[in-house]
Amino acid sequence: MASSAGCASSYCSRIFLTYEPSLAGNAIFLAVFAVLIPVTFALGIKYKSSIFAATLNTGLALEVVGYIGRVLLHSSPNDRSYFILFLIGTVIGPTFICAAMFLVMPQIVTVYGDEFRSWRPGWYSYLFYALSTVSVVLELVGGILSTIRDDSGDIDTGVPILIAGLAIQLFALAIFIFHAILFAIAVRTRHHALDIKFAGIYNSGSFKIFLLAFSLATLLLVVRTAYRLVVVAEGYGSSIAQSEILFLVLDGLMVLLASLLLLVFFPGRVLPDSQPQTMTRRISKTPLRPIRPAPYESPSTHHSPTYNPSSVRSSQHNYSPRKMQYPVQPPPQGGMVDSDALW
């Protein structure tokens, strides 16, 4: 372990790492996050989910920046610029991944029916996008203020701002999970009222697996955000903040697994084109087969311009057992059924 004794400032131990980050471990996370970026881009094009893919890719790119900083910190643990790259990238990156997940929930609601939701469509977008935006701004400002200078005043100001940003992100996830649970309860208790036009989607096994993966990814991001909130609240020099194993497991691994779940079970695969109206169009793409008319309901040809009486008379002599058509006989008098007319 390297020591921070070489740092001239008395506040250095509150900011920089007191150990050399593992080169192999951080390089692996860096490589995997970097590989996921073109994969997300390709899936977004294939399934026409450009907004979701762009938001998720922004979070992955920030994670790459963060782990570049950690790899560089391996040789220079006290370098301020490398620490800023690590802190800003790994703090803000998951916020964009959460924002990408917020984009998916309205599409899930559309599959089951808007009457099952516990929120108004108007405030859903404003609330979660506003919370995500405020969280990103506070995390960026707090991270810069707490690392850019050694002055105690800047550190004491930046840390609470960073804590507020992480707390807002955790609060947004809590609201998201709460309304998702209410929605699931409504669907479970009133499943008889589901719209049958989307039965092919919500009854499919792939959609159910997607919901399970989506829920697991949400819980992983909750664990990561709670851990990072505790780290900042305890201080950069605390034992929990200076433990690389805890960081790689509770931060890096949680974010990586959540990203992999979102890519393996890409929303566009079960929510075609990421648009409700497209889902309706694809489900009704194959028209219903028309009902064949009964043999005795043959259309009249007397009003057809190509009607030829002679051809009709001549065709009556062509007998085919597969095209047995008998003239409709009037029912016998007395209300009795003639047995010969049935055969």
Side-chain angles (χ1 to χ4, degrees), residues 3 5 7 14 19 39 46 52 68 75 77 79 87 95 159 171 186 193 224 238 253 260 270 285 288 296 316 334:
S3 174
C7 184
R14 298 177 58 183
Y19 65 90
V39 174
K46 180 179 180 180
F52 173 81
I68 288 177
S75 57
D79 191 288
L87 181 66
T95 306
V159 170
F171 178 68
R224 174 264 163 195
S238 63
L253 186 59
L260 289 174
V270 292
K285 186 174 181 180
L288 296 176
Y296 58 82
Q316 294 177 353

Side-chain angles (χ1 to χ4, degrees), residues 143-155:
I144 292 176
L145 286 179
S146 62
T147 56
I148 199 65
R149 297 178 61 183
D150 288 338
D151 294 341
S152 177
D154 292 332
I155 296 176

Side-chain angles (χ1 to χ4, degrees), residues 35-315:
V35 169
L36 294 183
I37 292 178
V39 174
T40 305
F41 181 76
L43 290 175
I45 294 177
K46 180 179 180 180
Y47 296 106
K48 300 179 181 180
S49 306
S50 57
I51 299 178
F52 173 81
T55 308
L56 181 58
N57 256 343
T58 303
L60 294 175
L62 287 169
E63 287 289 331
V64 170
V65 171
Y67 280 93
I68 288 177
R70 286 191 64 87
V71 170
L72 294 175
L73 282 171
H74 172 73
S75 57
S76 302
N78 294 330
D79 191 288
R80 187 188 308 276
S81 59
Y82 298 162
F83 187 85
I84 293 176
L85 287 179
F86 148 65
L87 181 66
I88 299 300
T90 57
V91 166
I92 302 180
T95 306
F96 279 91
I97 298 176
C98 292
M101 298 181 65
F102 295 156
L103 294 171
V104 180
M105 192 61 188
Q107 303 167 29
I108 298 176
V109 172
T110 302
V111 171
Y112 286 106
D114 291 339
E115 62 273 14
F116 296 102
R117 64 173 181 263
S118 59
W119 62 82
R120 294 183 179 180
W123 68 260
Y124 176 89
S125 300
Y126 290 111
L127 176 64
F128 286 103
Y129 301 160
L131 290 176
S132 299
T133 302
V134 172
S135 178
V136 169
V137 172
L138 293 178
E139 289 169 355
L140 180 61
V141 173
I144 292 176
L145 286 179
S146 62
T147 56
I148 199 65
R149 297 178 61 183
D150 288 338
D151 294 341
S152 177
D154 292 332
I155 296 176
D156 294 338
T157 302
V159 170
I161 295 177
L162 182 55
I163 291 176
L166 291 169
I168 290 176
Q169 180 185 348
L170 188 61
F171 178 68
L173 285 170
I175 296 177
F176 181 75
I177 294 175
F178 175 73
H179 285 285
I181 292 175
L182 292 181
F183 176 77
I185 293 175
V187 172
R188 183 71 176 178
T189 56
R190 293 187 287 134
H191 59 275
H192 58 278
L194 291 174
D195 193 343
I196 61 173
K197 69 179 179 180
F198 293 119
I201 294 181
Y202 58 69
N203 285 333
S204 64
S206 59
F207 184 74
K208 296 177 181 178
I209 296 176
F210 160 74
L211 291 180
L212 180 61
F214 189 79
S215 303
L216 181 57
T218 304
L219 294 178
L220 291 174
L221 291 176
V222 169
V223 172
R224 174 264 163 195
T225 306
Y227 158 76
R228 207 58 184 269
L229 182 61
V230 173
V231 167
V232 178
E234 290 290 327
Y236 296 130
S238 63
S239 59
I240 186 174
Q242 295 295 332
S243 174
E244 185 176 28
I245 295 178
L246 288 179
F247 171 80
L248 293 179
V249 173
L250 297 180
D251 191 292
L253 186 59
M254 297 295 103
V255 177
L256 179 59
L257 291 177
S259 302
L260 289 174
L261 288 172
L262 293 176
L263 292 179
V264 173
F265 304 97
F266 199 76
R269 292 179 177 175
V270 292
L271 304 173
D273 289 358
S274 299
Q275 295 294 337
Q277 57 267 29
T278 307
M279 288 189 291
T280 305
R281 182 168 62 252
R282 288 194 176 186
I283 292 175
S284 60
K285 186 174 181 180
T286 304
L288 296 176
R289 298 180 62 183
I291 301 176
R292 295 182 178 179
Y296 58 82
E297 294 178 348
S298 57
S300 176
T301 58
H302 290 285
H303 299 288
S304 174
T306 59
Y307 172 68
N308 189 351
S310 60
S311 63
V312 174
R313 286 193 301 268
S314 61
S315 63

